[in-house]
Amino acid sequence: MGDSTAAASLAASLARCGTGDQTAFAEVYDQSSARVHGLVLRVVRDPSMAEECTQEVFLEIWRKANTFRVDGSPWGWMLAIAHRRAVDTVRSVQASRTRENSYAKQSYEPPSPGPEEAAMHAQERADVRDCLETLSPAQRPSIELAYWDGLTHHEVATRLDAPLGTVKSRIRDGLRRLADCLTSTEEGGDHA
């Protein structure tokens, strides 16, 4: 069957579907299911979701077959329905994921620390404060601006009116000094 003959046959079957002819619907399905499913799968990209969506497309074709104009393109009409339904499916899934993520973020409460954990965190904070005191007067503000205030190296350099390379060196050397100090604190040693 040529393309125009196949399209004419499909158009005639669609027209008969519009009158409630179930045999005509079976013909429409047989002639078009692979192509409709292929389009849906390309849009949805999930095989099981595409199968479900394809079923919905054919249900819509069955329900709306009486609106098909026989002088129109059966493929254009059916594939427009398929594309629209597939896009709606993708949007629905994305909206659902967005809602779930939003709900999960809103409903998450970090566990409250127990007394032992709170004491440990308090000691860690005290150790960091003590180790910050060991930094040079040039290193400490660079580290505080970068890590406490969240500034970029460029912003720290601008704020301190210092060359970028100097600020990077101060931060790098200060972090090494902090790491050494915190390591010695964990080992029970004195602050260097």
Side-chain angles (χ1 to χ4, degrees):
M1 214 183 302
D3 285 343
S4 61
T5 308
S9 172
L10 185 57
S13 296
L14 275 172
R16 289 194 338 266
C17 274
T19 65
D21 185 336
Q22 292 179 2
T23 304
F25 179 72
E27 292 170 5
V28 167
Y29 183 85
D30 290 343
Q31 292 173 13
S32 62
S33 61
R35 192 167 175 184
V36 168
H37 180 71
L39 171 66
V40 170
L41 183 59
R42 280 192 302 277
V43 174
V44 175
R45 297 183 183 253
D46 177 272
S48 62
M49 199 180 306
E51 286 176 14
E52 186 176 325
C53 184
T54 300
Q55 289 176 358
E56 292 171 7
V57 168
F58 278 102
L59 182 60
E60 188 172 345
I61 288 170
W62 170 253
R63 288 181 180 156
K64 293 184 176 181
N66 62 339
T67 66
F68 172 69
R69 290 187 8 240
V70 180
D71 59 339
S73 164
W75 285 115
W77 186 77
M78 290 174 51
L79 295 178
I81 290 172
H83 186 264
R84 188 173 50 251
R85 178 66 70 156
V87 168
D88 288 347
T89 298
V90 169
R91 286 180 180 154
S92 175
V93 168
Q94 288 173 340
S96 177
R97 286 181 184 152
T98 300
R99 279 191 306 276
E100 288 172 9
N101 290 340
S102 175
Y103 177 75
K105 287 177 185 174
Q106 290 173 359
S107 64
Y108 174 74
E109 286 186 35
S112 300
E116 185 177 300
E117 191 175 343
M120 184 178 73
H121 288 307
Q123 182 59 49
E124 288 172 353
R125 284 191 299 275
D127 290 344
V128 169
R129 275 193 309 274
D130 290 346
C131 287
L132 277 171
E133 295 296 326
T134 69
L135 297 178
S136 74
Q139 292 170 338
R140 184 172 177 164
S142 297
I143 297 239
E144 287 176 342
L145 288 171
Y147 293 95
W148 272 254
D149 293 349
L151 300 181
T152 66
H153 290 174
H154 289 282
E155 292 168 334
V156 173
T158 301
R159 179 86 54 95
L160 296 177
D161 194 27
L164 179 61
T166 302
V167 167
K168 287 182 176 183
S169 294
R170 289 176 184 169
I171 291 172
R172 182 189 64 240
D173 296 343
L175 288 175
R176 282 188 191 140
R177 193 168 193 173
L178 275 175
D180 291 344
C181 178
L182 290 169
T183 300
S184 69
T185 300
E186 287 174 7
E187 295 170 355
D190 296 328
H191 299 296

